[in-house]
Amino acid sequence: MERVTKLVSQRAVVIFSKSTCCMSHTIKTLFYDLGVNPTVHELDEEPRAGKEIEKALIRLGCSPSVPAVFIGGELVGGANEVMTLHLSGSLVPLLKQAGAIWL
């Protein structure tokens, strides 16, 4: 849990992902298309640490564990929550507030 807290506090947008997960790919693409340069941690490419982080994400309430999106150090949620924010027009203001985009 401590490791996740440290990782998400270092950048405006942090995504915990798996390279084989289609929803993770979709969420990363959305952020890139919005002009965001998120820090992405591919849990399946970090064998020992990835499993530890995945367990911590589940304890934080991420279900499924990936994608898990943090903006401004706060857990936003997974694909459903991010897409809901985007479709309601709330995602871009949140990203601006976190300093992830400027326009």
Side-chain angles (χ1 to χ4, degrees):
M1 190 84 82
E2 206 173 289
R3 183 178 185 145
V4 170
T5 303
K6 182 179 178 186
L7 290 172
V8 302
S9 69
Q10 295 174 344
R11 295 289 301 268
V13 178
V14 178
I15 301 173
F16 293 97
S17 172
K18 287 188 179 177
S19 60
T20 57
C21 173
C22 63
M23 293 310 294
S24 292
H25 174 76
T26 300
I27 294 303
K28 290 182 288 189
T29 301
L30 170 65
F31 281 99
Y32 293 135
D33 288 349
L34 291 172
V36 176
N37 186 21
T39 296
V40 178
H41 296 279
E42 299 289 357
L43 301 184
D44 57 336
E45 294 176 2
E46 302 176 33
R48 175 177 270 150
K51 290 184 188 302
E52 180 184 314
I53 291 170
E54 189 168 6
K55 287 178 186 176
L57 292 171
I58 290 169
R59 284 195 302 272
L60 286 171
C62 298
S63 180
S65 59
V66 294
V69 178
F70 290 78
I71 300 175
E74 298 293 322
L75 175 63
V76 171
N80 286 341
E81 293 80 9
V82 170
M83 291 307 294
T84 298
L85 286 171
H86 180 56
L87 293 173
S88 71
S90 302
L91 182 60
V92 169
L94 189 59
L95 292 168
K96 286 180 182 177
Q97 182 180 355
I101 55 176
W102 296 272
L103 299 175

